[in-house]
Amino acid sequence: MNKLHFRRRARMNAFEKIQSLYGEISDLGNASALLSWDQQTYMPPRGATARGMQLATLSGIIHERMTSPDLGGLIAEASGGKLTGDQAAYLRELSFARDRSMKLPAALVKEMSLEESKAFEAWTRARKLNDYGIFAPHLARVIELKKQCAECWGYAETPWDALATDYERGLTASRVESIFRPLREATVKLLQQIKARPQANTRFLDQKWDIDRQREFGLRVARDIGYDMAAGRQDLAPHPFCTNFGMGDVRITTRYSQTSLLDGLFGTVHETGHAMYEQGFDPADARSPLAEAPSLGVHESQSRFWEVRIAQSEAFWKHYYPILRQYFPGQLDDVMPEEFYRALNIIEPDFIRVEADEICYNLHVIIRFELEVGIFRGDLSVGDIPAAWNKLYKEYLGLDVPSDTLGCLQDVHWAYGSFGYFPTYTLGNIYCAMLVERMERDMPALWEMVAQGQFAPILQWLRENIHKVGRRHESAELIERVTGMPVTCDPLIRHLANKYRHLYGF
Ligand code: ZN
């Protein structure tokens, strides 16, 4: 630190000193995010070793600064003074993150990270060879270490609660159970009714779709709905994601396949939803812990809103279907708009979560959640996971899982120790449905606007109610403030029933 900087800091009060220190931590985090974005997009393969070291060095420095006694002293000093509401929220968020990293012994963090790399490698091999036995001992070790983390953090009912806090603070297994149960029951019933109905024609989708045209169309939609390309960009990557190096630089990645018109498009719109959220934080919150989503569930509510509720709606295609036809001349001439709308909303139970439709998706998530809770309550052993998995797939989705590769080995989350992550996908859908009902009341012309390609008032509504708020409230509190309802799956059940009864005619 240079002398001038030092003198300036000496004149600051405790809160200003914290802002200056955390601003640097935030810069380091953004620099590290840029390095990992590059790792996943443009880095040549032989850069991997050096990049790994650079990322580890940065994360060590970030950890050191977050847990430094200086910062602790300043937080204590500032907390004793007079604070505005925003300052109190700032300190609450910073203290939470700091306490959480301080509670884990360095040796456990190191062991966890080593074991996760081993488990990831074993998982990759096990999935390829369809041999759960290769992964099982590593998974058992990861679970053991995660239980130790949970003991360090503390929890009310089950160790799972302490782990889920990383993604959705305040969430407990029993609370998720009570939110998900009615959704599961309603969804299983709805699925049976759909299965009894004739299926829509999707044969016209089996064509070759030019990748450049797909990309141009996807970007056009992203721009139309409000993605600020002067503060963002899109690149290709094997796994679609969104990342942020500050509000003025929020990037997305997408993958396209020549044989699939819809996956690339909906993937782009999904990541655009995440990106517009991060572009919409309050600029005054830059470099502060308030410029973040309160939880993964709330983040997912924004991506799913644009991907599913907007881009898979009838109104959206009223506007975009003629445009899509121009992008692919001759390829959709014989396909009526209603036929296209039906095809993109087809419901068909299958084994793979990431390819699942709007109805089945939540069942995939609920199955993983129920197994996780079984593991951490001590009712399910690692060896019994495949059988338990297959039993639930039969019960909820009516499927006979043919192999562990298409079954319990399909997701990477558990290898990384990410227990408590899966429910945030369905919570995102639940929050989203609650927000849409509120939006329909606030903007009765909502769907006419979508049909005319007018998205600005919709984005504005999200900016005011969700984006600008950042992390000032916890997720459940934020959703209740905006919608006037405690978290409930009822709006999601209503939406699914209305939409698919209409589509399948029952
Ligand atoms: Zn997402």
Side-chain angles (χ1 to χ4, degrees):
M1 195 185 303
N2 64 40
K3 262 188 192 158
L4 186 71
H5 200 138
F6 185 78
R7 254 185 266 131
R8 206 180 299 138
R9 194 173 273 175
R11 283 198 307 271
M12 295 172 176
N13 67 29
F15 188 80
E16 288 163 345
K17 284 181 191 162
I18 291 170
Q19 282 180 309
S20 159
L21 287 177
Y22 186 80
E24 288 175 3
I25 295 175
S26 157
D27 294 341
L28 290 165
N30 287 335
S32 152
L34 177 55
L35 288 181
S36 56
W37 170 84
D38 175 70
Q39 186 179 40
Q40 296 175 71
T41 48
Y42 296 109
M43 187 190 75
R46 284 173 63 192
T49 311
R51 185 57 49 87
M53 286 194 289
Q54 293 150 7
L55 285 166
T57 299
L58 275 173
S59 99
I61 296 172
I62 292 170
H63 181 79
E64 214 170 88
R65 289 191 169 209
M66 270 300 267
T67 55
S68 83
D70 284 0
L71 184 60
L74 287 168
I75 293 175
E77 191 187 333
S79 305
K82 223 170 133 18
L83 295 169
T84 65
D86 276 3
Q87 288 174 332
Y90 185 117
L91 290 183
R92 184 196 64 221
E93 289 309 311
L94 178 56
S95 306
F96 180 82
R98 181 181 143 83
D99 289 350
R100 205 150 160 90
S101 38
M102 288 189 73
K103 277 183 181 158
L104 292 188
L108 179 57
V109 175
K110 201 166 167 195
E111 204 185 342
M112 194 69 234
S113 125
L114 284 173
E115 195 49 61
E116 279 165 15
S117 338
K118 283 191 218 156
F120 174 73
E121 244 184 80
W123 168 79
T124 313
R125 247 174 352 113
R127 188 164 88 139
K128 201 169 153 205
L129 301 172
N130 185 35
D131 185 351
Y132 179 74
I134 297 173
F135 181 47
H138 294 278
L139 179 59
R141 186 69 196 131
V142 168
I143 291 169
E144 183 45 45
L145 291 171
K146 278 286 164 183
K147 282 183 180 163
Q148 289 178 29
C149 294
E151 294 307 322
C152 297
W153 285 321
Y155 51 86
E157 291 167 23
T158 133
W160 186 92
D161 304 347
L163 305 177
T165 296
D166 271 337
Y167 315 111
E168 198 80 24
R169 201 187 309 166
L171 201 65
T172 64
S174 52
R175 182 148 166 64
V176 182
E177 273 166 346
S178 70
I179 298 173
F180 282 3
R181 194 177 307 117
L183 176 64
R184 189 195 69 210
E185 289 165 2
T187 309
V188 168
K189 211 171 124 206
L190 197 55
L191 203 52
Q192 280 159 359
Q193 291 170 310
I194 289 171
K195 276 192 205 157
R197 303 291 305 159
Q199 194 56 286
N201 167 33
T202 57
R203 273 190 307 272
F204 62 85
L205 288 171
D206 300 333
Q207 305 186 43
K208 289 226 157 72
W209 306 93
D210 183 78
I211 285 184
D212 289 336
R213 304 300 282 161
Q214 283 191 52
R215 196 175 146 103
E216 282 162 30
F217 183 72
L219 273 174
R220 172 184 177 146
V221 171
R223 263 193 212 101
D224 287 354
I225 60 178
Y227 184 29
D228 177 3
M229 297 303 288
R233 54 178 285 131
Q234 183 202 43
D235 295 88
L236 298 178
H239 302 287
F241 64 93
C242 165
T243 184
N244 163 353
F245 322 129
M247 277 165 230
D249 190 352
V250 186
R251 306 185 186 187
I252 60 169
T253 65
T254 310
R255 61 177 167 209
Y256 293 100
S257 142
Q258 219 183 20
T259 52
S260 170
L261 172 63
L262 300 173
D263 292 351
L265 172 67
F266 292 136
T268 299
V269 177
H270 181 97
E271 298 309 328
T272 300
H274 282 306
M276 292 196 298
Y277 187 4
E278 307 222 338
Q279 288 183 335
F281 293 138
D282 188 339
D285 290 338
R287 298 172 89 228
S288 98
L290 297 180
E292 266 179 58
S295 74
L296 289 190
V298 174
H299 224 310
E300 195 67 6
S301 76
Q302 300 304 295
S303 54
R304 294 292 279 176
F305 172 76
W306 293 103
E307 177 200 359
V308 180
R309 297 305 300 271
I310 298 295
Q312 292 173 16
S313 71
E314 206 167 4
F316 181 89
W317 289 103
K318 226 175 233 163
H319 178 68
Y320 279 109
Y321 192 61
I323 300 172
L324 182 73
R325 274 179 162 167
Q326 288 166 16
Y327 274 78
F328 297 96
Q331 288 189 263
L332 291 164
D333 289 0
D334 308 332
V335 184
M336 291 294 105
E338 312 78 60
E339 225 179 327
F340 183 77
Y341 172 62
R342 268 173 214 285
L344 67 92
N345 282 295
I346 194 165
I347 299 297
E348 209 164 34
D350 212 335
F351 307 108
I352 303 295
R353 174 185 60 86
V354 294
E355 293 165 7
D357 57 66
E358 191 182 5
I359 289 190
C360 295
Y361 195 87
N362 297 313
L363 293 175
H364 287 267
V365 169
I366 291 169
I367 289 171
R368 285 153 178 78
F369 163 69
E370 290 182 359
L371 295 175
E372 284 187 1
V373 173
I375 293 167
F376 284 93
R377 282 194 180 138
D379 306 331
L380 178 63
S381 73
V382 168
D384 292 336
I385 289 175
W389 180 285
N390 298 349
K391 186 170 168 280
L392 291 178
Y393 266 79
K394 181 76 185 170
E395 208 175 315
Y396 300 164
L397 287 149
L399 294 171
D400 293 300
V401 178
S403 70
D404 290 337
T405 297
L406 292 174
C408 67
L409 287 173
Q410 65 181 270
D411 299 299
V412 68
H413 301 55
W414 291 345
Y416 280 134
S418 299
F419 295 97
Y421 194 116
F422 284 120
T424 67
Y425 295 124
T426 286
L427 284 169
N429 293 331
I430 289 172
Y431 297 158
C432 172
M434 294 176 70
L435 293 172
V436 173
E437 284 196 355
R438 177 76 236 184
M439 206 181 262
E440 285 168 340
R441 282 202 297 279
D442 289 354
M443 291 186 287
L446 175 69
W447 297 109
E448 280 108 86
M449 290 192 288
V450 174
Q452 284 160 18
Q454 286 172 22
F455 302 104
I458 302 171
L459 181 58
Q460 191 53 32
W461 190 96
L462 292 171
R463 289 264 189 266
E464 292 302 325
N465 288 290
I466 305 286
H467 302 179
K468 279 187 185 161
V469 182
R471 212 167 178 140
R472 281 173 178 75
H473 308 292
E474 285 187 8
S475 53
E477 189 192 338
L478 172 69
I479 297 297
E480 184 164 353
R481 284 173 80 105
V482 178
T483 64
M485 273 188 284
V487 175
T488 160
C489 64
D490 294 347
L492 179 58
I493 296 175
R494 275 196 284 276
H495 156 69
L496 294 174
N498 288 339
K499 177 171 175 180
Y500 291 96
R501 268 192 201 129
H502 171 69
L503 270 164
Y504 280 86
F506 59 90

